Amino acid sequence: EAGVTQSPTHLIKTRGQQATLRCSPISGHTSVYWYQQALGLGLQFLLWYDEGEERNRGNFPPRFSGRQFPNYSSELNVNALELEDSALYLCASSAWTAQPQHFGDGTRLSIL
Amino acid sequence: QQQVKQSPQSLIVQKGGISIINCAYENTAFDYFPWYQQFPGKGPALLIAIRPDVSEKKEGRFTISFNKSAKQFSLHIMDSQPGDSATYFCAAMTTDSWGKLQFGAGTQVVVTP
């Protein structure tokens, strides 16, 4: 069974640009979660999507947004990129609410 | 503020020894406590998880101990192997904030041959 897949593996952007990160959940999983892993800040919850709807949001500004598609894949959009957005962005999926979350290997976003 | 406090920050243990990582929390609404293992360049992998109605759970060489009254839980890695060298994260989640795992800061474990 394929795990959670994320693309691209690495993404280099400059300040002010926009970034789009993609995630395909494990087959059969309907919930998708996004986390930011920044140096010194640990793993921070960003967003949770289930059945195409945003269900919960962490303490991040509105320029962090996303969506979930009918096939349950998801994308995370970050607008007006700032240097502090440099981090590993991790996607996780679960079979449904309250089930264990399984992570992909992340997208490394570097802001120059 | 960090809702889950994890210690130690790093740990060196000899092959065959026991690695112990501790986590403490304040929010009594937490009712799901997973542990994740992360290797460099990889995402966190779910190791083992526990709910508050159980005081201990064992899977292979990994054991979670849970003390509800003290609001603490710990991971014990028995017979530590060099392949266990990784960063370990504890986490917690509440039923009224589904999806939002709150992570500890992580413990880097190094197992020497």
Side-chain angles (χ1 to χ4, degrees):
Chain A
E1 177 186 83
V4 176
T5 56
Q6 292 186 244
S7 64
T9 306
H10 294 97
L11 193 55
I12 300 174
K13 295 284 186 178
T14 56
R15 283 178 61 194
Q17 284 189 314
Q18 186 247 357
T20 298
L21 288 62
R22 295 181 175 84
C23 172
S24 293
I26 292 171
S27 178
H29 285 192
T30 60
S31 283
V32 171
Y33 314 83
W34 288 95
Y35 291 83
Q36 182 195 65
Q37 188 173 26
L39 270 176
L41 293 177
L43 280 144
Q44 305 286 327
F45 170 79
L46 256 170
L47 290 160
W48 168 32
Y49 291 94
D50 182 62
E51 297 288 352
E53 299 285 331
E54 183 181 303
R55 302 294 186 185
N56 202 353
R57 183 181 184 87
N59 290 331
F60 283 85
R63 57 191 186 82
F64 287 84
S65 65
R67 54 181 172 163
Q68 186 178 32
F69 299 99
N71 67 353
Y72 303 111
S73 68
S74 175
E75 68 179 30
L76 174 69
N77 295 293
V78 188
N79 293 318
L81 287 165
E82 300 178 4
L83 293 175
E84 66 203 41
D85 297 333
S86 293
L88 180 68
Y89 289 84
L90 292 159
C91 174
S93 73
S94 68
W96 57 82
T97 304
Q99 293 301 298
Q101 296 181 24
H102 299 274
F103 285 82
D105 288 335
T107 292
R108 173 75 59 187
L109 177 61
S110 299
I111 313 303
L112 304 179
Chain B
Q1 73 281 18
Q2 195 123 40
Q3 293 209 28
V4 180
K5 292 192 166 79
Q6 183 171 348
S7 63
Q9 191 173 17
S10 62
L11 180 59
I12 299 174
V13 62
Q14 283 193 330
K15 180 182 173 182
I18 302 173
S19 304
I20 302 174
I21 305 169
N22 300 300
C23 286
Y25 63 95
E26 287 299 322
N27 188 346
T28 54
F30 284 144
D31 71 345
Y32 174 67
F33 302 89
W35 284 88
Y36 285 85
Q37 177 191 57
Q38 186 175 28
F39 293 105
K42 295 290 187 182
L46 180 64
L47 259 182
I48 186 172
I50 199 167
R51 296 192 187 270
D53 53 346
V54 175
S55 61
E56 187 174 280
K57 185 174 181 180
K58 184 176 179 178
E59 285 186 10
R61 295 184 294 106
F62 299 92
T63 300
I64 299 180
S65 297
F66 188 83
N67 186 329
K68 190 173 180 178
S69 60
K71 292 184 284 186
Q72 294 176 348
F73 57 111
S74 60
L75 177 70
H76 290 62
I77 306 173
M78 314 301 285
D79 186 27
S80 296
Q81 299 296 312
D84 296 332
S85 297
T87 300
Y88 293 82
F89 293 93
C90 62
M93 191 159 69
T94 66
T95 52
D96 64 356
S97 188
W98 281 122
K100 185 177 180 178
L101 277 172
Q102 304 267 15
F103 283 88
T107 297
Q108 187 171 17
V109 174
V110 174
V111 182
T112 59

